[in-house]
Amino acid sequence: MGIDDYGGGQGPEPEVLVVTTNDVPGYHVREVIGEVFGLTVRSRHVGSQIGAGLKSIVGGELRGLTKTLVQTRNQAMERLVEQARARGANGILAFRFDVTEAADVGTEVCAYGTAVVLTRE
């Protein structure tokens, strides 16, 4: 598996700039649109659960679960960006992920932040 299987984030010139900070150097927040989020819930398939159980006996990284979590986070982020774009934003400030177990059947991942309209200074 390559680096793309274990990473995420945006490309070099995103349509909606997503940052973890409260401001962006060189930009002015012209308008605050409000909170946006992208949510997804993924169930684990039986094969990966069995493999994870066996792996936990001997130790080491659970690569299948890692890859699934990366895909899940990327999907939540894509949904976040879609919602921001649909509301007229070109930026998301204070971006975060929240990950929780969903009733012992899967993992809920929520990507959230504040949608804004940014202009260059």
Side-chain angles (χ1 to χ4, degrees), residues 26-108:
Y27 288 84
H28 171 73
V29 176
R30 191 180 78 208
E31 179 184 355
V32 174
I33 295 173
E35 179 189 9
V36 288
F37 66 91
L39 181 67
T40 185
V41 178
R42 293 271 180 109
S43 65
R44 294 183 217 94
H45 87 34
V46 175
S48 69
Q49 285 182 303
I50 293 170
L54 295 173
K55 187 70 170 186
S56 68
I57 294 170
V58 297
E61 182 182 9
L62 305 173
R63 289 181 182 254
L65 292 178
T66 299
K67 186 174 180 180
T68 299
L69 183 56
V70 168
Q71 292 169 342
T72 304
R73 290 180 96 166
N74 287 341
Q75 183 178 47
M77 187 169 177
E78 288 169 9
R79 290 177 177 175
L80 167 78
V81 169
E82 287 173 19
Q83 186 183 65
R85 187 177 21 237
R87 294 179 63 190
N90 67 348
I92 299 171
L93 304 179
F95 166 69
R96 303 286 187 271
F97 280 114
D98 187 35
V99 180
T100 58
E101 289 297 311
D104 291 334
V105 296
T107 302
E108 171 191 323

Side-chain angles (χ1 to χ4, degrees), residues 100-120:
T100 58
E101 289 297 311
D104 291 334
V105 296
T107 302
E108 171 191 323
V109 176
C110 182
Y112 63 95
T114 302
V116 297
V117 175
L118 297 170
T119 56
R120 283 200 180 268

